[in-house]
Amino acid sequence: MADVDASARPVHLVVLGGRVGSGKSSLARAAVATWPGTWRRCSQDALGSRRAVERAAREALWRGEHVLIDRTNLDRAQRAHWLRLAHEVRAVRPVVVSLLWLDVDASVCRERLAVRQGHPTLRTPAQAHAYVRGADAVCYR
């Protein structure tokens, strides 16, 4: 039987969304650890900007890796970037896009953030709690 052309195999672009402290990064790291070499975690916390996440995701998808977008992606405008990226990559290979929304109550996120240590961008619980309040104003009206 002939091998299927690698560029014909679909790749998955899973956009994670939810409050800070909802478990997006933990889920993404667990997926990468469970299926090494198959999934790529593209995190704004680690890469520094959305554009850097876009570049890393684009390159991984072009190589045939599945991608997890690890950022809050709170509103439609933020999530639309990933739909445009998928449209661009579809010129090269099929892309399946999914949104996985982690709908965790704000009180649980605040409890997690109170004990979180070593976060690259939200260095104190006060910073993280302020971000959760601001995110709620954008997304949870």
Side-chain angles (χ1 to χ4, degrees):
M1 180 176 358
D3 288 337
V4 175
D5 179 7
S7 65
R9 283 187 304 223
V11 289
H12 292 265
L13 174 61
V14 178
V15 178
L16 301 176
R19 289 181 173 98
V20 172
S22 63
K24 297 175 302 297
S25 295
S26 296
L27 175 64
R29 283 191 294 268
V32 169
T34 301
W35 298 287
T38 304
W39 285 91
R40 167 83 187 269
R41 173 181 171 244
C42 295
S43 165
Q44 186 165 324
D45 291 336
L47 297 173
S49 71
R50 188 200 76 238
R51 286 197 170 103
V53 173
E54 287 178 17
R55 275 191 304 276
R58 181 181 298 106
E59 291 168 6
L61 292 166
W62 281 343
R63 285 191 307 268
E65 296 176 78
H66 304 301
V67 171
L68 293 150
I69 301 295
D70 179 6
R71 64 191 301 272
T72 54
N73 294 302
L74 292 176
D75 59 33
R76 287 181 183 190
Q78 292 179 27
R79 295 185 296 268
H81 294 288
W82 313 116
L83 294 175
R84 284 191 294 274
L85 174 64
H87 180 73
E88 177 186 328
V89 173
R90 282 187 182 120
V92 177
R93 67 178 336 113
V95 181
V96 177
V97 182
S98 303
L99 170 65
L100 183 56
W101 187 259
L102 282 71
D103 191 16
V104 176
D105 191 76
S107 63
V108 173
C109 293
R110 282 190 292 274
E111 289 172 13
R112 292 175 178 175
L113 295 171
V115 297
R116 177 190 268 180
Q117 295 180 355
H119 191 275
T121 59
L122 299 172
R123 293 179 180 22
T124 68
Q127 284 179 317
H129 289 186
Y131 190 88
V132 169
R133 280 191 302 278
D136 285 354
V138 169
C139 192
Y140 292 95
R141 293 183 232 201

